[in-house]
Amino acid sequence: MSIPTNDRSKTMTTTIIDPTASARRAAASTASASPTVSEVNGLRIGLLENTKRNAAQVLDAVGDVLVAQHGVGALVRRTKPQFSMPLTDEQVEDLLASCDAVVIGVGDCGSCSAAAVADGIALQQAGLPTAVICTEAFAQTSRAMAAVKGDADFPFLTIEHPIANLGPADIAARAAGVAGGVVRSLTGETR
């Protein structure tokens, strides 16, 4: 890009550096072989909630469907106390040790949706099959983060926005509607 100076005979050239370029290239090289499970029956499924209002209730309801309809063996509940921050190495190690697969949610704002997708990609890269749930209002933010992380086709799931004001019946309905998608994400049917 050329920027004119006060002297018409001189121009100054500015180079714009993309600080995410190397991270995207590195992630792209590992994104192609996402881990999956053959089925969820009997598995330990982590429910990683992000402290957003009703996120725990939505994930619990999804977990109930996974146990009742898909034979999940155990639900491992974990809380990410800072919804917009990436998972710590300790949190990743805990999930790897205690779960066969993880469901992350619920992304219902810009920063928490982006963080949920980033966490899902990080867990996938660590070898743990993951399903991420965001609300439809933040699908564009979620897709943008997936692209930045080098996995533009990362298959996050969407549910209707908002979730913060839902009562038990609406939470159960949204969970029932997304549970099949969770199973398809974990088994790789969405790729």
Side-chain angles (χ1 to χ4, degrees):
M1 165 191 324
S2 295
I3 300 174
T5 63
N6 290 337
D7 182 352
R8 292 192 184 267
S9 66
K10 297 179 183 177
T11 59
M12 186 169 45
T13 301
T14 302
T15 302
I16 299 174
I17 299 171
D18 179 0
T20 65
S22 63
R24 283 196 320 260
R25 282 190 300 274
S29 66
T30 59
S32 59
S34 295
T36 60
V37 295
S38 59
E39 62 180 322
V40 296
N41 187 350
L43 297 184
R44 301 168 301 160
I45 303 295
L47 302 175
L48 179 61
E49 66 101 355
N50 62 1
T51 69
K52 298 295 287 186
R53 185 168 180 194
N54 277 340
Q57 291 82 352
V58 169
L59 288 179
D60 283 345
V62 168
D64 291 345
V65 173
L66 295 176
V67 169
Q69 295 180 12
H70 300 280
V72 164
L75 299 174
V76 180
R77 289 170 176 81
R78 295 292 188 265
T79 300
K80 180 181 169 184
Q82 297 165 332
F83 62 80
S84 63
M85 298 299 293
L87 289 170
T88 64
D89 291 342
E90 294 80 18
Q91 290 168 316
V92 171
E93 291 302 320
D94 172 56
L95 291 166
L96 286 167
S98 57
C99 305
D100 300 307
V102 175
V103 181
I104 299 174
V106 171
D108 74 336
C109 71
S111 60
C112 67
S113 296
V117 168
D119 291 341
I121 291 171
L123 289 174
Q124 292 270 60
Q125 289 174 346
L128 193 59
T130 307
V132 176
I133 303 171
C134 298
T135 62
E136 63 194 13
F138 295 97
Q140 183 173 354
T141 302
S142 301
R143 277 191 296 278
M145 179 54 76
V148 165
K149 290 294 185 178
D151 194 354
D153 295 325
F154 183 77
F156 62 89
L157 303 160
T158 59
I159 60 173
E160 187 180 341
H161 183 82
I163 63 159
N165 62 344
L166 297 180
D170 289 327
I171 288 172
R174 300 236 178 120
V178 77
V182 166
V183 172
R184 287 188 296 279
S185 285
L186 297 177
T187 58
E189 293 177 37
T190 58
R191 284 239 176 202

